[in-house]
Every structure is written in C-alpha cells, then in structure tokens.
Amino acid sequence: MSRQYVLAKLRAIKDERTQAAVALTLDGYTQEEIKELLDAASTRAIEGSLYRWRIREQRRGSEHVG
C-alpha cells in the first residue's frame, strides 16, 4: 500500500476526530493513548468510531467489486 493511497484514504474521512483516530492508529498509538490525545469520553468511543469507519470502508470496497 503506497503512502499516497493511505493519505488519500485519510483525507476522504469527513469527520476530523475519526480521521485523527485512524491516523494515530496507523502510527501505532493505543486506543487509550488516542482517547487521551483527542480528549475523548472513553476508549469505547474511540473503538466505536474506528469500527464505524471500518464498516463504511468495507461497504465501499464491496460496492466496487464485480
């Protein structure tokens, strides 16, 4: 996966908090660290944000297959 591809995917995320959470995850931060950096309510909030983003990406990917 190229750096340009990853950056394009990150830029396509409309929600700034989700964008930051995904970028920090890619950089190796734990969800606890991300929670603190983003001043989120809980790690569950971070988990939920990342989960919803992954589901949206999977759906987009399946729309382009076949």
Side-chain angles (χ1 to χ4, degrees):
M1 194 176 324
S2 76
R3 183 172 192 266
Q4 289 177 332
Y5 176 81
V6 172
L7 289 174
K9 284 292 195 180
L10 281 173
R11 284 189 205 108
I13 300 171
K14 295 186 186 344
D15 180 67
E16 290 180 9
R17 177 169 243 144
T18 301
Q19 186 181 55
V22 171
L24 290 166
T25 299
L26 291 172
D27 282 343
Y29 286 85
T30 66
Q31 290 178 355
E32 181 64 31
E33 291 169 324
I34 295 169
K35 175 189 82 103
E36 293 173 16
L37 288 167
L38 299 181
D39 197 30
S42 66
T43 55
R44 295 285 290 166
I46 299 300
E47 290 172 13
S49 179
L50 293 170
Y51 172 79
R52 288 185 296 278
W53 174 76
R54 280 193 306 272
I55 294 300
R56 281 192 301 271
E57 283 301 305
Q58 288 173 355
R59 288 182 183 151
R60 283 187 191 131
S62 67
E63 290 173 1
H64 293 75
V65 174

